[in-house]
Amino acid sequence: MIGGNESCTAGPIPVSYLTCLTYILGEWTGVEHIEDYLSYAVYLLWVLFPLAVVFLLPGVLVILFYTSILLLHIYKRKNELKEAYSNDFWDGAKQMLATLWDGHGRIWHGYELHGADNIPEGPGLIVFYHGATPADYVYFMARLLIQRKRYCHVVADHFVFRLPGFKILLDVHGVMHGPKEECVSALKKGYLIAIAPGGVREALFSDEMYTIIWGDRKGFAQVAIDAKVPIIPMFTQNVREGIRTLGGIKILRSLYERIRLPIVPVYGGFPVKLRTFVGEPIPYEPNITAEELTAKTKAALQALIEKHQKIPGNIFRALMERFQTQKKED
């Protein structure tokens, strides 16, 4: 076996492989004292590596989404599985993906779901605060399906339907564009629907202060009134500490308002503690207006944030909560 300090070329003075490689690079490039540049490059790599990691880790979620899509295509090709599920051909696929995402939530975030008993047996409209990504909602949906055998549809922004390869994933999970008529019809059929009124704007431009950004949106309230269903507020603790955005940069906000595409960079992917809290339902009232119900829902969601989230959010504290058994009162 050749040792690391042995000569890489024949000669009276043995040199290490690193010295030999440096010499060859210097001869090839014609740069004198190339070892100084290499040392500086190694130093930069060492300094910038943590920064690169925090921008690359969110890509894990993208990989999981496309893994889910791949599994759905494989499932679809296995026609013999169709006979295994009498109610719906995709039931088995939904259970499979729920297991995948719930496993990721458990391992990476120690994910917990509290207050699931507040979700009615019949139809209802879940209104939640939107983090930088919808990962917490996916964890919630997976845990609800596994534990309660309930499936929750969700209303998504229009750009989601233009993502390459996502069609089968959206179709299988019944993701909705969000027209009021479609939502009212689904609720009247007994479905459970979730919506984040803040949408992409809240996802990108809220921050560690957990500010609710709804603007003048009240269509969800009118949907609940027309369908005569309760509204259930929901919030995930530390959701903005897991992944954050650079939405505080004004030019990015201006660019989004102009082109309406979520091009704001995100960073993080930290394994912080995530706990989803489902609040008490706001019952249907026949004489309430959409404006009044919107205000009531916003107040209920704000109360969940104040009760379960330390503000401003702190990444280190959220990481340490992975190792704490005590938590804020449900």
Side-chain angles (χ1 to χ4, degrees):
M1 182 178 293
I2 299 176
N5 291 323
E6 293 187 18
S7 173
C8 65
T9 59
I13 302 177
V15 294
S16 67
Y17 283 115
L18 182 59
T19 303
C20 184
L21 179 61
T22 302
Y23 175 78
I24 293 173
L25 286 175
E27 289 292 317
W28 182 55
T29 60
V31 178
E32 296 183 359
H33 306 295
I34 194 172
E35 63 274 8
D36 294 335
Y37 294 99
L38 290 176
S39 298
Y40 184 66
V42 171
Y43 173 75
L44 281 181
L45 180 63
W46 178 77
V47 171
L48 297 178
F49 180 75
L51 184 63
V53 168
V54 299
F55 279 97
L56 292 175
L57 273 178
V60 173
L61 294 177
V62 177
I63 293 172
L64 279 176
F65 275 117
Y66 277 101
T67 299
S68 301
I69 292 169
L70 176 62
L71 290 174
L72 287 177
H73 281 291
I74 294 173
Y75 182 93
K76 187 177 181 180
R77 295 288 294 181
K78 297 294 184 179
N79 294 326
E80 65 271 15
L81 291 177
K82 186 174 182 179
E83 298 178 359
Y85 303 97
S86 57
N87 295 326
D88 183 357
F89 171 70
W90 291 111
D91 280 351
K94 291 176 183 178
Q95 290 285 348
M96 175 179 62
L97 295 188
T99 302
L100 171 68
W101 281 93
D102 187 63
H104 183 269
R106 286 176 183 272
I107 295 170
W108 196 246
H109 294 291
Y111 180 76
E112 299 175 10
L113 174 60
H114 299 271
D117 291 340
N118 288 325
I119 298 175
E121 292 299 325
L125 184 64
I126 295 176
V127 175
F128 64 98
Y129 172 86
H130 204 314
T133 71
D136 62 307
Y137 168 77
V138 179
Y139 298 146
F140 157 76
M141 180 182 65
R143 185 68 58 86
L144 187 69
L145 183 60
I146 292 172
Q147 291 186 348
R148 302 280 301 275
K149 307 303 178 184
R150 289 290 307 275
Y151 189 76
C152 184
H153 298 261
V154 66
V155 178
D157 192 272
H158 294 294
F159 90 90
V160 175
F161 295 87
R162 299 198 295 269
L163 293 174
F166 266 59
K167 186 179 186 304
I168 187 172
L169 185 66
L170 301 178
D171 290 345
V172 169
H173 288 288
V175 179
M176 306 168 67
H177 284 84
K180 294 179 183 178
E181 298 76 15
E182 182 184 5
C183 293
V184 171
S185 175
L187 288 167
K188 287 184 176 180
K189 292 177 182 178
Y191 291 176
L192 185 66
I193 297 178
I195 185 172
V200 176
R201 189 175 284 106
E202 185 172 84
L204 298 180
F205 305 113
S206 186
D207 53 25
E208 65 272 16
M209 299 306 293
Y210 287 83
T211 306
I212 297 174
I213 304 177
W214 287 3
D216 59 352
R217 293 183 177 178
K218 52 182 180 291
F220 72 92
Q222 190 60 56
V223 165
I225 293 172
D226 293 344
K228 300 180 181 179
V229 299
I231 286 180
I232 306 102
M234 186 174 76
F235 170 72
T236 299
Q237 183 186 58
N238 296 325
V239 66
R240 298 212 75 90
E241 274 52 74
I243 294 181
R244 289 188 172 178
T245 74
L246 298 180
I249 302 176
K250 292 183 178 180
I251 191 172
L252 294 177
R253 178 67 180 267
S254 300
L255 187 60
Y256 170 77
E257 298 298 345
R258 178 168 298 183
I259 66 176
R260 295 299 177 90
L261 289 176
I263 59 174
V264 176
V266 299
Y267 66 95
F270 305 114
V272 301
K273 184 68 176 182
L274 292 184
R275 299 185 181 100
T276 293
F277 295 93
V278 181
E280 295 183 1
I282 302 172
Y284 164 71
E285 298 178 28
N287 298 322
I288 197 171
T289 65
E291 290 79 7
E292 293 171 337
L293 185 55
T294 299
K296 201 171 183 177
T297 305
K298 188 174 183 179
L301 185 57
Q302 185 64 51
L304 282 178
I305 295 174
E306 293 175 358
K307 182 177 182 180
H308 300 292
Q309 182 65 52
K310 293 180 180 178
I311 296 176
N314 181 279
I315 295 174
F316 179 75
R317 183 176 62 232
L319 287 169
M320 290 301 99
E321 288 179 4
R322 290 292 303 272
F323 309 100
Q324 298 173 0
T325 56
Q326 185 180 4
K327 59 180 182 295
K328 299 189 75 174
E329 182 182 358
D330 291 359

